[in-house]
Amino acid sequence: MDLATPRLVLRPLARGDAPALRGIVTRPEVGRMLYLFPAGMTVAQAGTFIDDWAWRGGTRMRLGIEAGGRLVGSIGASDGAEPEIVCFLAPEAWGRGLAREAVTAFCAALFDRFGVPALRAWAFTDNAASARVLEACGFVRTGEGTGTSAQRLEPAPVWLYRMPRADREARR
């Protein structure tokens, strides 16, 4: 699945992206907001992650986010009746509306191509920027929970989000 927006290309991650991906997710300001990536992740482990999350026909996938021909982040979704999305960017790409652009395009593709009834997401409560992106894209906060991160010592509070298909269609 390849998607293009005015400033971005969302495309399948390739093994050659492993060094750049590792360079983003091992930065503490990024990695501690994600559940999966240890601070000591190696390039080989990043390559394994890319292989594990390659698209195989369902909603479960991870795409690279390119801006100006350079990998600046990733976006993806889980399997399930209401897939959970995740998106992250390198700090140098923050504050320019790129996350909102990527999430908007990706969610539209999930709804249009897979016909899912709703999408879910979560953000650590100390990640106000991600919460703003989700809300700007049409996600509604539905509650709170606890999340873990490979780069946090203990579980931490998260905000839970959901976007029903009907809400997305009403925003069109």
Side-chain angles (χ1 to χ4, degrees):
M1 182 160 83
D2 290 82
L3 302 169
T5 71
R7 299 181 295 167
L8 303 172
V9 174
L10 282 57
R11 50 122 179 117
L13 286 166
R15 275 294 220 161
D17 293 320
L21 180 70
R22 181 206 169 274
I24 296 168
V25 300
T26 57
R27 293 173 71 169
E29 64 268 40
V30 177
R32 67 183 297 278
M33 299 302 175
L34 306 171
Y35 67 94
L36 191 58
F37 304 101
M41 180 182 221
T42 66
V43 171
Q45 289 169 321
T48 299
F49 170 84
I50 289 168
D51 291 343
D52 289 348
W53 281 89
W55 184 67
R56 292 179 176 85
T59 57
R60 184 182 188 276
M61 72 183 89
R62 288 290 178 101
L63 303 177
I65 300 172
E66 274 187 14
R70 196 170 138 259
L71 187 74
V72 297
S74 179
I75 192 163
S78 66
D79 277 330
E82 294 186 1
E84 183 176 278
I85 70 151
V86 61
C87 178
F88 61 84
L89 295 176
E92 56 272 14
W94 293 353
R96 300 186 349 222
L98 299 178
R100 182 178 180 176
E101 193 171 318
V103 170
T104 298
F106 187 68
C107 290
L110 289 174
F111 282 125
D112 294 345
R113 293 180 186 200
F114 299 101
V116 296
L119 297 171
R120 295 176 296 115
W122 61 268
F124 284 107
T125 60
D126 61 352
N127 189 351
S130 286
R132 282 191 302 273
V133 167
L134 291 170
E135 291 168 10
C137 291
F139 282 85
V140 175
R141 192 179 305 172
T142 59
E144 295 183 6
T146 303
T148 59
S149 169
Q151 293 189 36
R152 291 180 186 241
L153 296 177
E154 297 181 358
V158 298
W159 289 312
L160 306 174
Y161 289 90
R162 187 170 183 269
M163 182 192 334
R165 180 185 187 92
D167 288 3
R168 186 256 176 179
E169 290 174 357
R171 290 174 59 97
R172 287 176 124 178

